[in-house]
Amino acid sequence: MSDGLGFELVLVDPKPELCAAWEEAFRGRSEVHVVCGRFEGLSAFDCMVSAANSFGLMDGGVDAAITRFFGQDLMERVQCRILDEYLGEQPVGTSMIVETGHPQHPYLAHTPTMRTPMTIARTDNVYRAMSSMLLAVRRHNGSGARPIGIVACPGLGTRTGRVPLPEAARQMSIAYRNLLEPPRSITWSFALGRQEQVRYGGDLGYLLRSESEA
């Protein structure tokens, strides 16, 4: 079953704490599936999300596992696209669909969460990355190319980025919900409401919300 975006979302990560945070944040979304494990163990997916850096250097964390799974030429293909389309640096808040050459898993969504490896805890980078990835898949599916039916997405910003797991899950779920419920018009009230959702971004927003509820 697909959702209003036209594809299913599989959230996959070996950390039980993150999976529990996802289950809570995405509660009631039957088209979103949480798998506590590694993406290599998934039986089916069309597109793997690379929670990347801006330069396509895929040699650490989940990116290293992606490179091992698909081959070194995928990283080279990603970097060629970054050079051609972004002149050497793909900004946070963008995502591009890259062909993997794998017959069962044909696409990668290269989606920077940071420029280079760094802490992004006090930012809204997770929200921006998740939004851009979902939009990129949606645009791809409207292009006439082989469609993406299942997207496999790891935790965004939860390793090197050091975003607290509940906050990463919250920002990912907000981005997902906002794309399912687009506005009919854009006003300052709408813009401020969106900003209030994300707060200041990262764990600063999470802590401010927790303090106000204490």
Side-chain angles (χ1 to χ4, degrees):
M1 178 178 62
S2 64
D3 64 346
L5 294 175
F7 51 88
E8 296 180 26
L9 178 63
V10 176
L11 302 172
V12 55
D13 198 280
K15 292 191 290 295
E17 298 85 358
L18 178 55
C19 292
W22 276 336
E23 291 281 7
E24 179 63 27
F26 286 86
R27 186 180 301 278
R29 300 290 185 187
S30 61
E31 73 285 352
V32 178
H33 310 285
V34 175
V35 175
C36 198
R38 300 184 183 279
F39 80 89
E40 299 95 326
L42 295 176
S43 60
F45 62 92
D46 302 305
C47 181
M48 179 64 195
V49 177
S50 168
N53 57 71
S54 292
F55 303 97
L57 296 165
M58 301 172 65
D59 55 3
V62 178
D63 272 349
I66 290 172
T67 301
R68 287 193 298 272
F69 185 82
F70 289 104
Q72 184 73 18
D73 60 328
L74 177 58
M75 182 173 72
E76 295 169 359
R77 196 175 300 122
V78 166
Q79 291 178 359
C80 284
R81 288 277 300 275
I82 293 174
L83 287 167
D84 289 343
E85 299 179 23
Y86 296 103
L87 304 183
E89 180 181 344
Q90 183 186 353
V92 175
T94 66
S95 180
M96 63 182 183
I97 306 300
V98 181
E99 293 186 2
T100 64
H102 194 291
Q104 282 77 48
H105 314 296
Y107 298 113
L108 178 83
H110 190 264
T111 309
T113 59
M114 58 190 70
R115 293 184 68 246
T116 58
M118 64 179 67
T119 299
I120 58 168
R122 295 179 182 270
T123 73
D124 62 355
N125 287 18
V126 169
Y127 172 84
R128 291 193 288 149
M130 185 72 171
S131 294
S132 67
M133 180 275 291
L134 295 171
L135 286 170
V137 175
R138 182 175 181 270
R139 284 193 300 269
H140 170 88
N141 282 351
S143 70
R146 177 177 173 177
I148 294 170
I150 303 175
V151 175
C153 184
L156 303 181
T158 56
R159 291 175 174 80
T160 304
R162 299 185 181 277
V163 179
L165 303 184
E167 177 62 12
R170 186 184 76 88
Q171 290 194 29
M172 292 173 74
S173 68
I174 291 173
Y176 185 84
R177 183 177 71 245
N178 283 348
L179 293 185
L180 285 180
E181 303 170 359
R184 295 181 180 272
S185 62
I186 297 177
T187 64
W188 273 115
S189 177
F190 163 75
L192 294 172
R194 281 286 177 94
Q195 175 60 20
E196 177 66 15
Q197 284 181 322
V198 183
R199 302 290 182 109
Y200 298 100
D203 63 354
L204 178 60
Y206 178 71
L207 291 173
L208 286 175
R209 189 176 71 257
S210 298
E211 291 169 357
S212 68
E213 294 170 353

